[in-house]
């Protein structure tokens, strides 16, 4: 650089002149050389496609002598069979209609075989607008084609992986559905003088749920029932569910007193899981004693939501079981017992907290116990199946606000005929 206010140093002006001379020499290519050695192919054809002029670059790609091409071949002759067909059906008609086409992907018959190119053509016209010839540029698209093929391969691999993942997920869901069904009764038994209905909502088909219920015969005309909810989801929760179900059934056969049965379950769960990660559940266990015109119910609860009773006169209220502790938390746990009598038209409803803890409304508020009681009271006392059907529709209305598994079990005395009907719905 020159110093401020001074001219160039001696010899500096000569260096600048020398540099300018070098650049000037580099730019002194003739128009003919620029045409022949261009980094793309050039050719001019008559309106019938006969090649009138072609540059060296394109001849080298084709591996042909100029004398064999100029005046002897047409542009379509340079193309592969598929390229010729596209040229005749699309390229040439479009060029004739619009006067130019740009960036058309074709394949030419190169010296080393099929060569992908991008072709742009434009019609040269006279001052009167008469078409004189067609000027065409041909760009090497081999790298582009390789890149596109790589993208296609990647897309194909991704699609195959997606399809495989979907197939694997479908198989997993099918296996989980079978396992889930194994944790629930296939159908509720028919109990003389009693109606029973159940419903199970699975929040996610990809996870095993922890809700469970059952209804089974004891002795002397007595029947036992239970409904519970294991903390967590997945295989570990399913293992606890299986253990809880079989423990409850076995304990009931030995001594069906509800508090005794839940105490046995508490001991089993605490002994099994106290040394590792804690596992616990909530549950209601009860015994039904049908008589001629009523059913006596004796039940106990371990941390589970209170059962709800819909009476034949339309009144609805909870059967309080306060103070029951979660099952499996402590080696010794208190459980609360309660008794009631179901008369003709009465229905006892047991449910898991997925129902009352569903999120509803724009503020995503908990559905809650009061809303459940009000909903049940608004239903006609038409028996267990009618109540379960109404509640299953309610669950469906929650949409994504229902994010937990939900089990429902309803037991009732028929209002009129003493026929028995037990139905089991699952989703």
């Amino acid at each position: 650089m020159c110093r401020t206010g001074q001219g160039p140093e001696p010899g500096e002006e000569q260096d600048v002149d020398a540099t300018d001379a070098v650049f000037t020499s580099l730019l002194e290519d003739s128009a003919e050389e620029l045409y022949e050695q261009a980094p793309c192919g050039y050719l001019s054809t008559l309106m019938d496609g006969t090649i009138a002029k072609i540059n060296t670059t394109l001849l080298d790609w084709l591996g042909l002598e100029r004398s064999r091409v100029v005046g002897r071949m047409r542009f379509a002759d340079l193309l592969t069979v598929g390229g010729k067909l596209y040229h005749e059906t699309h390229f040439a008609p479009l060029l004739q209609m619009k006067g130019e086409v740009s960036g058309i992907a074709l394949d030419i018959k190169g010296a080393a075989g099929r060569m992908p190119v991008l072709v742009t053509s434009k019609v040269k016209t006279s001052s009167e607008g008469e078409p004189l010839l067609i000027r065409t540029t041909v760009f090497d698209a081999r790298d582009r084609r390789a890149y596109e093929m790589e993208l296609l391969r990647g897309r194909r691999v991704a699609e195959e992986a997606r399809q495989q993942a979907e197939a694997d997920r479908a198989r997993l869901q099918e296996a989980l559905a079978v396992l889930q069904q194994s944790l629930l009764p296939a159908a509720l038994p028919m109990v003389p003088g009693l109606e029973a209905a159940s419903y199970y909502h699975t929040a996610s088909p990809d996870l095993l749920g922890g809700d469970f219920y059952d209804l089974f015969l004891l002795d002397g005309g007595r029947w036992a029932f239970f409904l519970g909810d294991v903390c967590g989801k997945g295989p570990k929760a399913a293992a606890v569910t299986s253990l809880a179900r079989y423990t409850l059934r076995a304990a009931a056969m030995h001594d069906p007193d509800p508090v005794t049965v839940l105490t046995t379950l508490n001991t089993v769960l605490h002994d099994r899981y106290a040394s590792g990660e804690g596992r616990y559940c909530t549950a209601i266990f009860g015994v039904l004693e049908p008589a001629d015109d009523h059913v006596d119910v004796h039940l106990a609860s371990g941390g589970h939501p209170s059962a709800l009773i819909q009476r034949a006169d339309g009144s609805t209220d909870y059967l309080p079981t306060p103070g029951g502790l979660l099952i499996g938390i402590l080696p010794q746990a208190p459980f609360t017992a309660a008794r009631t009598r179901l008369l003709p038209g009465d229905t006892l409803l047991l449910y898991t907290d997925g129902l009352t803890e569903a999120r509803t409304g724009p503020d995503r508020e908990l559905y809650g116990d009061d809303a459940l009681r009000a909903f049940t009271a608004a239903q006609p006392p038409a028996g267990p199946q009618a109540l379960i059907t109404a509640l299953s529709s309610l669950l469906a209305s929650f949409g994504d606000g229902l994010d937990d598994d939900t089990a429902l079990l309803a037991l009732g005395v028929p209002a009129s005929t003493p026929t028995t009907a037990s139905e089991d719905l699952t989703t």
Side-chain angles (χ1 to χ4, degrees):
M1 295 179 61
C2 300
R3 291 187 295 274
T4 305
Q6 296 185 5
E9 289 288 329
E12 187 173 339
E13 185 176 349
Q14 287 146 354
D15 292 340
V16 173
D17 292 342
T19 302
D20 290 343
V22 171
F23 279 106
T24 301
S25 65
L26 291 175
L27 298 175
E28 285 181 349
D29 293 336
S30 66
E32 185 67 21
E33 184 178 1
L34 289 173
Y35 176 83
E36 292 293 341
Q37 303 299 327
C40 62
Y42 284 117
L43 73 157
S44 300
T45 66
L46 303 180
M47 296 308 297
D48 65 355
T50 301
I51 298 174
K53 190 175 182 180
I54 186 170
N55 72 343
T56 302
T57 300
L58 185 52
L59 287 171
D60 290 343
W61 290 350
L62 296 169
L64 297 174
E65 298 292 335
R66 194 183 304 271
S67 59
R68 292 183 53 195
V69 176
V70 176
R72 294 176 176 272
M73 300 179 69
R74 298 186 179 188
F75 173 63
D77 297 331
L78 309 180
L79 304 176
T80 60
V81 174
K84 286 182 180 180
L85 180 62
Y86 186 86
H87 181 271
E88 293 175 2
T89 59
H90 293 78
F91 189 98
L94 188 62
L95 180 61
Q96 183 178 6
M97 181 176 62
K98 297 182 61 177
E100 63 179 316
V101 289
S102 178
I104 303 300
L106 296 171
D107 288 333
I108 62 174
K109 295 182 287 188
R114 180 190 299 265
M115 176 178 172
V117 295
L118 293 176
V119 177
T120 296
S121 294
K122 185 172 183 178
V123 177
K124 178 185 178 181
T125 59
S126 66
S127 56
E128 290 79 18
E130 292 293 326
L132 300 177
L133 54 84
I134 301 171
R135 288 174 175 164
T136 299
T137 57
V138 182
F139 292 91
D140 185 351
R142 284 174 289 189
D143 290 342
R144 176 186 175 121
R145 181 68 60 84
Y147 174 70
E148 290 174 346
M149 294 301 295
E150 187 63 28
L151 285 180
L152 289 174
R153 281 194 294 271
R155 183 178 297 176
R156 184 167 57 250
V157 170
E159 178 62 20
E160 291 173 353
R162 184 189 66 79
Q163 293 177 355
Q164 183 62 46
E166 289 182 351
D168 291 343
R169 184 184 180 191
R171 286 193 292 270
L172 174 62
Q173 291 179 350
E174 182 179 1
L176 291 178
V178 172
L179 289 173
Q180 189 74 69
Q181 289 298 325
S182 70
L183 300 176
L184 301 170
L188 295 179
M190 300 183 68
V191 181
L194 190 77
E195 288 184 359
S198 62
Y199 182 83
Y200 191 92
H201 169 82
T202 301
S204 171
D206 299 322
L207 293 173
L208 283 170
D211 294 3
F212 58 93
Y213 61 85
D214 207 348
L215 174 64
F216 56 97
L217 179 64
L218 289 174
D219 56 16
R222 295 186 302 171
W223 293 76
F225 65 90
F226 58 78
L227 181 140
D229 185 359
V230 170
C231 176
K233 297 181 184 298
K236 292 183 178 179
V240 179
T241 299
S242 179
L243 177 61
R245 289 186 73 249
Y246 289 108
T247 299
L248 289 170
R249 290 182 70 106
M253 295 300 177
H254 178 70
D255 184 348
D257 176 72
V259 172
T260 302
V261 170
L262 292 186
T263 299
T264 301
L265 177 61
N266 182 79
T267 300
V268 170
L269 289 184
H270 186 268
D271 290 348
R272 178 72 174 270
Y273 295 102
S275 59
E277 55 178 325
R279 289 286 171 178
Y280 56 89
C281 71
T282 67
I284 285 183
F285 178 89
V287 176
L288 304 171
E289 296 188 33
D292 292 337
D293 59 350
H294 65 272
V295 173
D296 288 325
V297 181
H298 181 201
L299 59 80
S301 173
H304 199 83
S306 297
L308 186 63
I309 301 178
Q310 181 191 49
R311 297 296 183 183
D313 61 4
S315 62
T316 300
D317 209 346
Y318 289 100
L319 180 63
T321 49
L325 195 66
L326 291 173
I327 302 172
I329 291 289
L330 299 175
Q332 301 293 328
F335 300 112
T336 304
R339 293 179 181 272
T340 189
R341 173 169 289 183
L342 300 180
L343 300 175
D346 294 345
T347 297
L348 177 73
L349 173 67
L350 291 84
Y351 57 93
T352 55
D353 59 10
L355 170 56
T356 52
E357 293 183 0
R359 298 287 177 172
T360 63
D363 297 330
R364 308 288 287 178
E365 296 179 348
L366 289 177
Y367 185 67
D369 297 334
D370 292 340
L372 175 60
R373 177 169 52 191
F375 177 86
T376 304
Q379 306 305 311
Q385 186 55 60
L387 181 57
I388 290 294
T389 299
L391 288 169
S392 63
S393 298
L394 174 66
L395 291 172
S397 71
F398 291 151
D400 60 3
L402 182 61
D403 57 3
D404 194 8
D405 299 327
T406 303
L408 305 174
L409 177 64
L411 308 168
V413 179
S416 54
T417 59
T419 56
T420 61
S422 299
E423 298 185 37
D424 183 29
L425 301 176
T426 59
T427 60

